[in-house]
Amino acid sequence: MTDKRAAEAGPSRHTHPTPAASFHLVRLMDKKATHNSPRTWFLTSSLSPLCIRLIRLLLAHGDYVVACLPPAEIEDEERSAEFKELINECKSSRKDREGWKDRIRGIRCDGRAMGQCGAAVAEAVHVFGRIDILLCCKFEAVIGTVEELSATPATRNLIRDQFETIFFSQVNFIKAALPQFRAQHTGHIMILTSIGGHIGTPWMPMYTAATWALEGYCDSLAYEIAPFNIKVTIVQPNKEIQSLSNKVVFAPQLSCYDPEFSPAPSMREILGNVLNANPDTAIEQSEEVIQYRYPRLPPTAYDKLVMETVHALTAIGGHENPPARHIVGFEGAVAVQEKLKTVTEELEDFVEASLAVDIFESELKAEARQGGSNIEAVAPAAGPRT
């Protein structure tokens, strides 16, 4: 990589001086925000259009950024081009970029290797003194039905790869960072997933499964680490935001799942149409070959697509009392509300089946039989808020 040395350049240590820049954001619960102090962010994957825009905003604010660079991605010239432009921007003599090159550290790291994750965390602490926010943001989307992903040894390997990418690699980073957070007695783990953590998606079963696994892991983790003043937040934008910012892998299509037999649009069709809008990323659906692409949209299109999520991350990151979950965007919030409404209605419809084995009569049981009026009142919380 031509700019590897520049990307990995950084001071040996810092004392977090007060930055000149400030966020122009609507902050969440502003009285408890800690955004006036520079924070050190550790991004587990930093080459997506979303992460590059996030890094630029963080540097403008005066924050410090450790940018992990997955080897397979940084060696891909097209995938890494925008990040290299950012590094050149950091080295420029522009007044509004002053000090940027000293506040970013690029580290080549494969999250699937626990040793590399530990080394990256150690290097981040050595260079910047601490880590305030760990942002787990590695993503790729494997597209294929359950049967398509079970058809051959090669497609079955895609299942393992999906879990390695979304679940195991991010768990490795979390485990590597926890001792540092405990030693600091503070820290914030942010998990960038999607509303796929709430809603299953046809043609993306393994992505959904890996996302639910990571979110379930973090829900349990949040209780374990709350006594150490370590927070956990899951941020859920629409699935399209992550899918169009990262690698998309298409399993070979089985003829029985051809769109002509299903009038509803599929994620295979939707993402294929986006890719085909650009001649450089056009794809022909195949019944034999596994194919992958990095979507390429115009910069202005990416700005419109990802900036709402970027601003949500900057507003929540390092907050004294962050949400356990944050859904980005109106459409995503409505979709999740509809899903939860359906779950509640089905619970009420089959309340007799739920209560059939209860041997004790109670007011709560009687009210449940009358329409589930207290079901929501006794539902467990989503996670600790300390």
Side-chain angles (χ1 to χ4, degrees), residues 272-285:
N273 289 339
V274 173
L275 292 170
N276 291 338
N278 186 331
D280 294 331
T281 60
I283 190 169
E284 291 186 10
Q285 298 296 344

Side-chain angles (χ1 to χ4, degrees), residues 21-37:
S22 62
F23 277 128
H24 298 286
L25 299 173
V26 176
R27 295 179 178 176
L28 302 177
M29 295 177 287
D30 189 58
K31 291 182 180 179
K32 291 188 180 254
T34 57
H35 298 161
N36 289 330
S37 301

Side-chain angles (χ1 to χ4, degrees), residues 33-297:
T34 57
H35 298 161
N36 289 330
S37 301
R39 301 157 292 175
T40 298
W41 293 67
F42 186 109
L43 277 61
T44 63
S45 184
S46 304
L47 297 177
S48 72
L50 187 154
C51 287
I52 290 168
R53 284 156 177 78
L54 173 63
I55 292 171
R56 184 174 283 108
L57 194 58
L58 295 176
L59 292 174
H61 176 244
D63 286 351
Y64 298 79
V65 177
V66 178
C68 285
L69 312 172
E73 293 188 48
I74 197 65
E75 291 164 8
D76 185 306
E77 291 297 323
E78 293 181 354
R79 177 63 166 174
S80 62
E82 193 174 11
F83 181 80
K84 293 176 182 178
E85 290 178 7
L86 173 62
I87 295 303
N88 289 331
E89 189 177 335
C90 292
K91 296 188 296 181
S92 73
S93 58
R94 291 172 50 180
K95 185 68 175 177
D96 60 349
R97 300 296 183 262
E98 186 176 350
W100 281 28
K101 64 182 176 61
D102 297 323
R103 288 188 279 107
I104 183 171
R105 181 79 167 194
I107 303 176
R108 293 168 69 96
C109 180
D110 187 343
R112 296 171 297 180
M114 183 65 197
Q116 293 189 32
C117 296
V121 168
E123 182 174 346
V125 174
H126 175 73
V127 172
F128 293 137
R130 61 186 289 117
I131 298 171
D132 298 300
I133 301 147
L134 171 67
L135 177 60
C136 295
C137 49
K138 177 65 175 172
F139 180 89
E140 69 179 40
V142 173
I143 308 300
T145 65
V146 169
E147 283 193 280
E148 289 168 343
L149 292 171
S150 306
T152 67
T155 56
R156 288 194 289 274
N157 284 340
L158 293 179
I159 296 174
R160 183 177 64 244
D161 292 344
Q162 183 78 108
F163 271 83
E164 288 284 356
T165 299
I166 291 180
F167 180 75
F168 289 109
S169 70
Q170 304 311 286
V171 166
N172 285 342
F173 278 113
I174 291 170
K175 291 191 294 185
L178 283 178
Q180 176 63 29
F181 283 153
R182 283 193 293 101
Q184 297 172 179
H185 200 70
T186 185
H188 190 185
I189 299 171
M190 299 184 73
I191 314 295
L192 181 60
T193 60
S194 77
I195 60 170
H198 280 285
I199 304 169
T201 305
W203 282 270
M204 297 178 74
M206 292 304 110
Y207 155 77
T208 303
T211 300
W212 286 30
L214 182 60
E215 292 199 4
Y217 174 92
C218 291
D219 279 345
S220 297
L221 174 70
Y223 290 101
E224 298 173 1
I225 61 180
F228 304 107
N229 194 35
I230 306 171
K231 321 293 185 181
V232 179
T233 296
I234 295 169
V235 178
Q236 300 173 313
N238 281 329
K239 288 183 287 292
E240 292 79 4
I241 291 173
Q242 287 279 58
S243 300
L244 294 175
S245 299
N246 294 279
K247 183 165 73 171
V248 183
V249 183
F250 294 88
Q253 186 175 23
L254 294 178
S255 57
C256 58
Y257 288 102
D258 190 278
E260 69 176 287
F261 301 113
S262 175
S266 70
M267 286 304 294
R268 181 190 292 273
E269 184 179 1
I270 292 170
L271 292 175
N273 289 339
V274 173
L275 292 170
N276 291 338
N278 186 331
D280 294 331
T281 60
I283 190 169
E284 291 186 10
Q285 298 296 344
S286 170
E287 296 184 6
E288 300 177 355
V289 181
I290 296 172
Q291 302 175 80
Y292 78 89
R293 296 286 189 276
Y294 287 107
R296 271 191 277 166
L297 303 179

